[in-house]
mmCIF file with all atom_site columns, all heavy atoms in Angstrom:
data_model
loop_
_atom_site.group_PDB
_atom_site.id
_atom_site.type_symbol
_atom_site.label_atom_id
_atom_site.label_alt_id
_atom_site.label_comp_id
_atom_site.label_asym_id
_atom_site.label_entity_id
_atom_site.label_seq_id
_atom_site.pdbx_PDB_ins_code
_atom_site.Cartn_x
_atom_site.Cartn_y
_atom_site.Cartn_z
_atom_site.occupancy
_atom_site.B_iso_or_equiv
_atom_site.pdbx_formal_charge
_atom_site.auth_seq_id
_atom_site.auth_comp_id
_atom_site.auth_asym_id
_atom_site.auth_atom_id
_atom_site.pdbx_PDB_model_num
ATOM 1   N N   . LEU A 1 110 ? -9.064  -7.128  -10.400 1.00 0.00 ? 110 LEU A N   1
ATOM 2   C CA  . LEU A 1 110 ? -9.830  -6.116  -11.114 1.00 0.00 ? 110 LEU A CA  1
ATOM 3   C C   . LEU A 1 110 ? -8.874  -5.239  -11.914 1.00 0.00 ? 110 LEU A C   1
ATOM 4   O O   . LEU A 1 110 ? -7.790  -4.892  -11.431 1.00 0.00 ? 110 LEU A O   1
ATOM 5   C CB  . LEU A 1 110 ? -10.618 -5.241  -10.135 1.00 0.00 ? 110 LEU A CB  1
ATOM 6   C CG  . LEU A 1 110 ? -11.732 -5.917  -9.326  1.00 0.00 ? 110 LEU A CG  1
ATOM 7   C CD1 . LEU A 1 110 ? -12.301 -4.948  -8.290  1.00 0.00 ? 110 LEU A CD1 1
ATOM 8   C CD2 . LEU A 1 110 ? -12.836 -6.445  -10.232 1.00 0.00 ? 110 LEU A CD2 1
ATOM 9   N N   . TYR A 1 130 ? -14.485 -1.545  -14.679 1.00 0.00 ? 130 TYR A N   1
ATOM 10  C CA  . TYR A 1 130 ? -13.670 -2.599  -14.074 1.00 0.00 ? 130 TYR A CA  1
ATOM 11  C C   . TYR A 1 130 ? -13.861 -3.885  -14.877 1.00 0.00 ? 130 TYR A C   1
ATOM 12  O O   . TYR A 1 130 ? -14.989 -4.364  -15.049 1.00 0.00 ? 130 TYR A O   1
ATOM 13  C CB  . TYR A 1 130 ? -14.112 -2.869  -12.642 1.00 0.00 ? 130 TYR A CB  1
ATOM 14  C CG  . TYR A 1 130 ? -13.849 -1.758  -11.650 1.00 0.00 ? 130 TYR A CG  1
ATOM 15  C CD1 . TYR A 1 130 ? -14.825 -0.806  -11.365 1.00 0.00 ? 130 TYR A CD1 1
ATOM 16  C CD2 . TYR A 1 130 ? -12.647 -1.701  -10.951 1.00 0.00 ? 130 TYR A CD2 1
ATOM 17  C CE1 . TYR A 1 130 ? -14.605 0.190   -10.419 1.00 0.00 ? 130 TYR A CE1 1
ATOM 18  C CE2 . TYR A 1 130 ? -12.410 -0.706  -10.003 1.00 0.00 ? 130 TYR A CE2 1
ATOM 19  C CZ  . TYR A 1 130 ? -13.394 0.239   -9.740  1.00 0.00 ? 130 TYR A CZ  1
ATOM 20  O OH  . TYR A 1 130 ? -13.173 1.222   -8.804  1.00 0.00 ? 130 TYR A OH  1
ATOM 21  N N   . GLY A 1 136 ? -18.680 -3.043  -13.345 1.00 0.00 ? 136 GLY A N   1
ATOM 22  C CA  . GLY A 1 136 ? -17.689 -4.055  -13.035 1.00 0.00 ? 136 GLY A CA  1
ATOM 23  C C   . GLY A 1 136 ? -18.370 -5.337  -12.619 1.00 0.00 ? 136 GLY A C   1
ATOM 24  O O   . GLY A 1 136 ? -19.592 -5.393  -12.431 1.00 0.00 ? 136 GLY A O   1
ATOM 25  N N   . PRO A 1 137 ? -17.597 -6.411  -12.453 1.00 0.00 ? 137 PRO A N   1
ATOM 26  C CA  . PRO A 1 137 ? -18.192 -7.690  -12.055 1.00 0.00 ? 137 PRO A CA  1
ATOM 27  C C   . PRO A 1 137 ? -18.674 -7.649  -10.611 1.00 0.00 ? 137 PRO A C   1
ATOM 28  O O   . PRO A 1 137 ? -18.260 -6.795  -9.816  1.00 0.00 ? 137 PRO A O   1
ATOM 29  C CB  . PRO A 1 137 ? -17.033 -8.677  -12.224 1.00 0.00 ? 137 PRO A CB  1
ATOM 30  C CG  . PRO A 1 137 ? -15.810 -7.840  -11.999 1.00 0.00 ? 137 PRO A CG  1
ATOM 31  C CD  . PRO A 1 137 ? -16.135 -6.489  -12.584 1.00 0.00 ? 137 PRO A CD  1
ATOM 32  N N   . THR A 1 138 ? -19.539 -8.584  -10.260 1.00 0.00 ? 138 THR A N   1
ATOM 33  C CA  . THR A 1 138 ? -20.013 -8.724  -8.891  1.00 0.00 ? 138 THR A CA  1
ATOM 34  C C   . THR A 1 138 ? -19.053 -9.625  -8.131  1.00 0.00 ? 138 THR A C   1
ATOM 35  O O   . THR A 1 138 ? -18.816 -10.770 -8.526  1.00 0.00 ? 138 THR A O   1
ATOM 36  C CB  . THR A 1 138 ? -21.428 -9.322  -8.872  1.00 0.00 ? 138 THR A CB  1
ATOM 37  O OG1 . THR A 1 138 ? -22.329 -8.428  -9.537  1.00 0.00 ? 138 THR A OG1 1
ATOM 38  C CG2 . THR A 1 138 ? -21.906 -9.556  -7.454  1.00 0.00 ? 138 THR A CG2 1
ATOM 39  N N   . LEU A 1 139 ? -18.503 -9.104  -7.048  1.00 0.00 ? 139 LEU A N   1
ATOM 40  C CA  . LEU A 1 139 ? -17.624 -9.899  -6.193  1.00 0.00 ? 139 LEU A CA  1
ATOM 41  C C   . LEU A 1 139 ? -18.476 -10.537 -5.104  1.00 0.00 ? 139 LEU A C   1
ATOM 42  O O   . LEU A 1 139 ? -19.109 -9.827  -4.316  1.00 0.00 ? 139 LEU A O   1
ATOM 43  C CB  . LEU A 1 139 ? -16.540 -9.034  -5.565  1.00 0.00 ? 139 LEU A CB  1
ATOM 44  C CG  . LEU A 1 139 ? -15.695 -8.153  -6.490  1.00 0.00 ? 139 LEU A CG  1
ATOM 45  C CD1 . LEU A 1 139 ? -14.618 -7.431  -5.688  1.00 0.00 ? 139 LEU A CD1 1
ATOM 46  C CD2 . LEU A 1 139 ? -15.063 -8.979  -7.592  1.00 0.00 ? 139 LEU A CD2 1
ATOM 47  N N   . THR A 1 161 ? -9.924  2.639   -5.348  1.00 0.00 ? 161 THR A N   1
ATOM 48  C CA  . THR A 1 161 ? -11.118 1.790   -5.285  1.00 0.00 ? 161 THR A CA  1
ATOM 49  C C   . THR A 1 161 ? -11.497 1.618   -3.818  1.00 0.00 ? 161 THR A C   1
ATOM 50  O O   . THR A 1 161 ? -10.738 1.067   -3.027  1.00 0.00 ? 161 THR A O   1
ATOM 51  C CB  . THR A 1 161 ? -10.879 0.418   -5.938  1.00 0.00 ? 161 THR A CB  1
ATOM 52  O OG1 . THR A 1 161 ? -10.672 0.600   -7.341  1.00 0.00 ? 161 THR A OG1 1
ATOM 53  C CG2 . THR A 1 161 ? -12.088 -0.482  -5.736  1.00 0.00 ? 161 THR A CG2 1
ATOM 54  N N   . HIS A 1 162 ? -12.670 2.130   -3.480  1.00 0.00 ? 162 HIS A N   1
ATOM 55  C CA  . HIS A 1 162 ? -13.201 2.090   -2.115  1.00 0.00 ? 162 HIS A CA  1
ATOM 56  C C   . HIS A 1 162 ? -14.244 0.987   -2.003  1.00 0.00 ? 162 HIS A C   1
ATOM 57  O O   . HIS A 1 162 ? -15.098 0.833   -2.881  1.00 0.00 ? 162 HIS A O   1
ATOM 58  C CB  . HIS A 1 162 ? -13.826 3.449   -1.784  1.00 0.00 ? 162 HIS A CB  1
ATOM 59  C CG  . HIS A 1 162 ? -14.697 3.443   -0.572  1.00 0.00 ? 162 HIS A CG  1
ATOM 60  N ND1 . HIS A 1 162 ? -14.266 3.017   0.660   1.00 0.00 ? 162 HIS A ND1 1
ATOM 61  C CD2 . HIS A 1 162 ? -16.009 3.830   -0.402  1.00 0.00 ? 162 HIS A CD2 1
ATOM 62  C CE1 . HIS A 1 162 ? -15.255 3.139   1.538   1.00 0.00 ? 162 HIS A CE1 1
ATOM 63  N NE2 . HIS A 1 162 ? -16.312 3.621   0.916   1.00 0.00 ? 162 HIS A NE2 1
ATOM 64  N N   . TRP A 1 163 ? -14.164 0.210   -0.921  1.00 0.00 ? 163 TRP A N   1
ATOM 65  C CA  . TRP A 1 163 ? -15.104 -0.893  -0.675  1.00 0.00 ? 163 TRP A CA  1
ATOM 66  C C   . TRP A 1 163 ? -16.215 -0.357  0.213   1.00 0.00 ? 163 TRP A C   1
ATOM 67  O O   . TRP A 1 163 ? -16.140 -0.413  1.446   1.00 0.00 ? 163 TRP A O   1
ATOM 68  C CB  . TRP A 1 163 ? -14.372 -2.073  -0.054  1.00 0.00 ? 163 TRP A CB  1
ATOM 69  C CG  . TRP A 1 163 ? -13.076 -2.348  -0.752  1.00 0.00 ? 163 TRP A CG  1
ATOM 70  C CD1 . TRP A 1 163 ? -11.819 -2.028  -0.335  1.00 0.00 ? 163 TRP A CD1 1
ATOM 71  C CD2 . TRP A 1 163 ? -12.920 -2.955  -2.038  1.00 0.00 ? 163 TRP A CD2 1
ATOM 72  N NE1 . TRP A 1 163 ? -10.882 -2.409  -1.268  1.00 0.00 ? 163 TRP A NE1 1
ATOM 73  C CE2 . TRP A 1 163 ? -11.530 -2.981  -2.337  1.00 0.00 ? 163 TRP A CE2 1
ATOM 74  C CE3 . TRP A 1 163 ? -13.799 -3.484  -2.990  1.00 0.00 ? 163 TRP A CE3 1
ATOM 75  C CZ2 . TRP A 1 163 ? -11.007 -3.499  -3.523  1.00 0.00 ? 163 TRP A CZ2 1
ATOM 76  C CZ3 . TRP A 1 163 ? -13.290 -3.997  -4.166  1.00 0.00 ? 163 TRP A CZ3 1
ATOM 77  C CH2 . TRP A 1 163 ? -11.917 -4.016  -4.420  1.00 0.00 ? 163 TRP A CH2 1
ATOM 78  N N   . HIS A 1 164 ? -17.247 0.185   -0.422  1.00 0.00 ? 164 HIS A N   1
ATOM 79  C CA  . HIS A 1 164 ? -18.299 0.920   0.270   1.00 0.00 ? 164 HIS A CA  1
ATOM 80  C C   . HIS A 1 164 ? -19.135 -0.028  1.135   1.00 0.00 ? 164 HIS A C   1
ATOM 81  O O   . HIS A 1 164 ? -19.773 -0.943  0.629   1.00 0.00 ? 164 HIS A O   1
ATOM 82  C CB  . HIS A 1 164 ? -19.190 1.617   -0.755  1.00 0.00 ? 164 HIS A CB  1
ATOM 83  C CG  . HIS A 1 164 ? -20.289 2.431   -0.163  1.00 0.00 ? 164 HIS A CG  1
ATOM 84  N ND1 . HIS A 1 164 ? -20.409 3.794   -0.367  1.00 0.00 ? 164 HIS A ND1 1
ATOM 85  C CD2 . HIS A 1 164 ? -21.332 2.101   0.629   1.00 0.00 ? 164 HIS A CD2 1
ATOM 86  C CE1 . HIS A 1 164 ? -21.467 4.232   0.267   1.00 0.00 ? 164 HIS A CE1 1
ATOM 87  N NE2 . HIS A 1 164 ? -22.044 3.218   0.886   1.00 0.00 ? 164 HIS A NE2 1
ATOM 88  N N   . LEU A 1 199 ? -23.189 -4.767  -0.794  1.00 0.00 ? 199 LEU A N   1
ATOM 89  C CA  . LEU A 1 199 ? -22.283 -3.633  -0.736  1.00 0.00 ? 199 LEU A CA  1
ATOM 90  C C   . LEU A 1 199 ? -21.873 -3.274  -2.161  1.00 0.00 ? 199 LEU A C   1
ATOM 91  O O   . LEU A 1 199 ? -22.323 -3.909  -3.120  1.00 0.00 ? 199 LEU A O   1
ATOM 92  C CB  . LEU A 1 199 ? -21.049 -3.968  0.100   1.00 0.00 ? 199 LEU A CB  1
ATOM 93  C CG  . LEU A 1 199 ? -21.296 -4.593  1.477   1.00 0.00 ? 199 LEU A CG  1
ATOM 94  C CD1 . LEU A 1 199 ? -19.968 -4.800  2.210   1.00 0.00 ? 199 LEU A CD1 1
ATOM 95  C CD2 . LEU A 1 199 ? -22.247 -3.765  2.317   1.00 0.00 ? 199 LEU A CD2 1
ATOM 96  N N   . TRP A 1 200 ? -21.012 -2.273  -2.306  1.00 0.00 ? 200 TRP A N   1
ATOM 97  C CA  . TRP A 1 200 ? -20.521 -1.970  -3.646  1.00 0.00 ? 200 TRP A CA  1
ATOM 98  C C   . TRP A 1 200 ? -19.142 -1.345  -3.559  1.00 0.00 ? 200 TRP A C   1
ATOM 99  O O   . TRP A 1 200 ? -18.650 -1.031  -2.478  1.00 0.00 ? 200 TRP A O   1
ATOM 100 C CB  . TRP A 1 200 ? -21.506 -1.123  -4.441  1.00 0.00 ? 200 TRP A CB  1
ATOM 101 C CG  . TRP A 1 200 ? -21.846 0.260   -3.923  1.00 0.00 ? 200 TRP A CG  1
ATOM 102 C CD1 . TRP A 1 200 ? -22.208 0.616   -2.666  1.00 0.00 ? 200 TRP A CD1 1
ATOM 103 C CD2 . TRP A 1 200 ? -21.888 1.465   -4.688  1.00 0.00 ? 200 TRP A CD2 1
ATOM 104 N NE1 . TRP A 1 200 ? -22.489 1.972   -2.604  1.00 0.00 ? 200 TRP A NE1 1
ATOM 105 C CE2 . TRP A 1 200 ? -22.301 2.519   -3.828  1.00 0.00 ? 200 TRP A CE2 1
ATOM 106 C CE3 . TRP A 1 200 ? -21.646 1.775   -6.026  1.00 0.00 ? 200 TRP A CE3 1
ATOM 107 C CZ2 . TRP A 1 200 ? -22.451 3.848   -4.252  1.00 0.00 ? 200 TRP A CZ2 1
ATOM 108 C CZ3 . TRP A 1 200 ? -21.798 3.093   -6.446  1.00 0.00 ? 200 TRP A CZ3 1
ATOM 109 C CH2 . TRP A 1 200 ? -22.193 4.102   -5.574  1.00 0.00 ? 200 TRP A CH2 1
ATOM 110 N N   . TYR A 1 201 ? -18.491 -1.241  -4.717  1.00 0.00 ? 201 TYR A N   1
ATOM 111 C CA  . TYR A 1 201 ? -17.167 -0.626  -4.765  1.00 0.00 ? 201 TYR A CA  1
ATOM 112 C C   . TYR A 1 201 ? -17.163 0.443   -5.847  1.00 0.00 ? 201 TYR A C   1
ATOM 113 O O   . TYR A 1 201 ? -17.870 0.344   -6.853  1.00 0.00 ? 201 TYR A O   1
ATOM 114 C CB  . TYR A 1 201 ? -16.070 -1.666  -5.003  1.00 0.00 ? 201 TYR A CB  1
ATOM 115 C CG  . TYR A 1 201 ? -16.204 -2.506  -6.256  1.00 0.00 ? 201 TYR A CG  1
ATOM 116 C CD1 . TYR A 1 201 ? -15.584 -2.138  -7.450  1.00 0.00 ? 201 TYR A CD1 1
ATOM 117 C CD2 . TYR A 1 201 ? -16.927 -3.703  -6.249  1.00 0.00 ? 201 TYR A CD2 1
ATOM 118 C CE1 . TYR A 1 201 ? -15.679 -2.917  -8.591  1.00 0.00 ? 201 TYR A CE1 1
ATOM 119 C CE2 . TYR A 1 201 ? -17.033 -4.490  -7.383  1.00 0.00 ? 201 TYR A CE2 1
ATOM 120 C CZ  . TYR A 1 201 ? -16.407 -4.096  -8.549  1.00 0.00 ? 201 TYR A CZ  1
ATOM 121 O OH  . TYR A 1 201 ? -16.521 -4.874  -9.689  1.00 0.00 ? 201 TYR A OH  1
ATOM 122 N N   . HIS A 1 202 ? -16.349 1.494   -5.614  1.00 0.00 ? 202 HIS A N   1
ATOM 123 C CA  . HIS A 1 202 ? -16.294 2.605   -6.564  1.00 0.00 ? 202 HIS A CA  1
ATOM 124 C C   . HIS A 1 202 ? -15.057 3.446   -6.264  1.00 0.00 ? 202 HIS A C   1
ATOM 125 O O   . HIS A 1 202 ? -14.450 3.319   -5.183  1.00 0.00 ? 202 HIS A O   1
ATOM 126 C CB  . HIS A 1 202 ? -17.567 3.450   -6.477  1.00 0.00 ? 202 HIS A CB  1
ATOM 127 C CG  . HIS A 1 202 ? -17.821 4.068   -5.133  1.00 0.00 ? 202 HIS A CG  1
ATOM 128 N ND1 . HIS A 1 202 ? -17.127 5.176   -4.657  1.00 0.00 ? 202 HIS A ND1 1
ATOM 129 C CD2 . HIS A 1 202 ? -18.703 3.736   -4.138  1.00 0.00 ? 202 HIS A CD2 1
ATOM 130 C CE1 . HIS A 1 202 ? -17.570 5.501   -3.461  1.00 0.00 ? 202 HIS A CE1 1
ATOM 131 N NE2 . HIS A 1 202 ? -18.515 4.646   -3.111  1.00 0.00 ? 202 HIS A NE2 1
ATOM 132 N N   . PRO A 1 203 ? -14.651 4.345   -7.156  1.00 0.00 ? 203 PRO A N   1
ATOM 133 C CA  . PRO A 1 203 ? -13.498 5.210   -6.896  1.00 0.00 ? 203 PRO A CA  1
ATOM 134 C C   . PRO A 1 203 ? -13.777 6.201   -5.774  1.00 0.00 ? 203 PRO A C   1
ATOM 135 O O   . PRO A 1 203 ? -14.930 6.516   -5.472  1.00 0.00 ? 203 PRO A O   1
ATOM 136 C CB  . PRO A 1 203 ? -13.279 5.938   -8.232  1.00 0.00 ? 203 PRO A CB  1
ATOM 137 C CG  . PRO A 1 203 ? -14.035 5.144   -9.240  1.00 0.00 ? 203 PRO A CG  1
ATOM 138 C CD  . PRO A 1 203 ? -15.183 4.537   -8.516  1.00 0.00 ? 203 PRO A CD  1
ATOM 139 N N   . MET A 1 217 ? -17.297 3.717   -13.331 1.00 0.00 ? 217 MET A N   1
ATOM 140 C CA  . MET A 1 217 ? -16.564 2.827   -12.441 1.00 0.00 ? 217 MET A CA  1
ATOM 141 C C   . MET A 1 217 ? -17.360 2.535   -11.169 1.00 0.00 ? 217 MET A C   1
ATOM 142 O O   . MET A 1 217 ? -17.447 3.359   -10.265 1.00 0.00 ? 217 MET A O   1
ATOM 143 C CB  . MET A 1 217 ? -15.206 3.450   -12.112 1.00 0.00 ? 217 MET A CB  1
ATOM 144 C CG  . MET A 1 217 ? -14.307 3.566   -13.324 1.00 0.00 ? 217 MET A CG  1
ATOM 145 S SD  . MET A 1 217 ? -12.926 4.724   -13.101 1.00 0.00 ? 217 MET A SD  1
ATOM 146 C CE  . MET A 1 217 ? -12.095 4.002   -11.697 1.00 0.00 ? 217 MET A CE  1
ATOM 147 N N   . ALA A 1 218 ? -17.932 1.347   -11.095 1.00 0.00 ? 218 ALA A N   1
ATOM 148 C CA  . ALA A 1 218 ? -18.672 0.890   -9.922  1.00 0.00 ? 218 ALA A CA  1
ATOM 149 C C   . ALA A 1 218 ? -19.000 -0.578  -10.107 1.00 0.00 ? 218 ALA A C   1
ATOM 150 O O   . ALA A 1 218 ? -19.077 -1.081  -11.234 1.00 0.00 ? 218 ALA A O   1
ATOM 151 C CB  . ALA A 1 218 ? -19.960 1.698   -9.713  1.00 0.00 ? 218 ALA A CB  1
ATOM 152 N N   . GLY A 1 219 ? -19.191 -1.279  -9.019  1.00 0.00 ? 219 GLY A N   1
ATOM 153 C CA  . GLY A 1 219 ? -19.581 -2.681  -9.078  1.00 0.00 ? 219 GLY A CA  1
ATOM 154 C C   . GLY A 1 219 ? -20.113 -3.131  -7.738  1.00 0.00 ? 219 GLY A C   1
ATOM 155 O O   . GLY A 1 219 ? -19.979 -2.431  -6.725  1.00 0.00 ? 219 GLY A O   1
ATOM 156 N N   . LEU A 1 220 ? -20.720 -4.318  -7.706  1.00 0.00 ? 220 LEU A N   1
ATOM 157 C CA  . LEU A 1 220 ? -21.308 -4.847  -6.473  1.00 0.00 ? 220 LEU A CA  1
ATOM 158 C C   . LEU A 1 220 ? -20.324 -5.754  -5.742  1.00 0.00 ? 220 LEU A C   1
ATOM 159 O O   . LEU A 1 220 ? -19.528 -6.466  -6.365  1.00 0.00 ? 220 LEU A O   1
ATOM 160 C CB  . LEU A 1 220 ? -22.580 -5.630  -6.778  1.00 0.00 ? 220 LEU A CB  1
ATOM 161 C CG  . LEU A 1 220 ? -23.741 -4.851  -7.390  1.00 0.00 ? 220 LEU A CG  1
ATOM 162 C CD1 . LEU A 1 220 ? -24.969 -5.753  -7.493  1.00 0.00 ? 220 LEU A CD1 1
ATOM 163 C CD2 . LEU A 1 220 ? -24.065 -3.601  -6.597  1.00 0.00 ? 220 LEU A CD2 1
ATOM 164 N N   . LEU A 1 221 ? -20.410 -5.723  -4.415  1.00 0.00 ? 221 LEU A N   1
ATOM 165 C CA  . LEU A 1 221 ? -19.678 -6.641  -3.554  1.00 0.00 ? 221 LEU A CA  1
ATOM 166 C C   . LEU A 1 221 ? -20.710 -7.272  -2.626  1.00 0.00 ? 221 LEU A C   1
ATOM 167 O O   . LEU A 1 221 ? -21.311 -6.580  -1.793  1.00 0.00 ? 221 LEU A O   1
ATOM 168 C CB  . LEU A 1 221 ? -18.596 -5.898  -2.765  1.00 0.00 ? 221 LEU A CB  1
ATOM 169 C CG  . LEU A 1 221 ? -17.602 -6.743  -1.960  1.00 0.00 ? 221 LEU A CG  1
ATOM 170 C CD1 . LEU A 1 221 ? -16.358 -5.920  -1.632  1.00 0.00 ? 221 LEU A CD1 1
ATOM 171 C CD2 . LEU A 1 221 ? -18.198 -7.282  -0.666  1.00 0.00 ? 221 LEU A CD2 1
#
Side-chain angles (χ1 to χ4, degrees):
L110 295 173
Y130 292 94
T138 297
L139 308 183
T161 294
H162 165 55
W163 315 103
H164 181 119
L199 311 183
W200 62 311
Y201 57 93
H202 60 76
M217 295 163 59
L220 297 186
L221 188 161

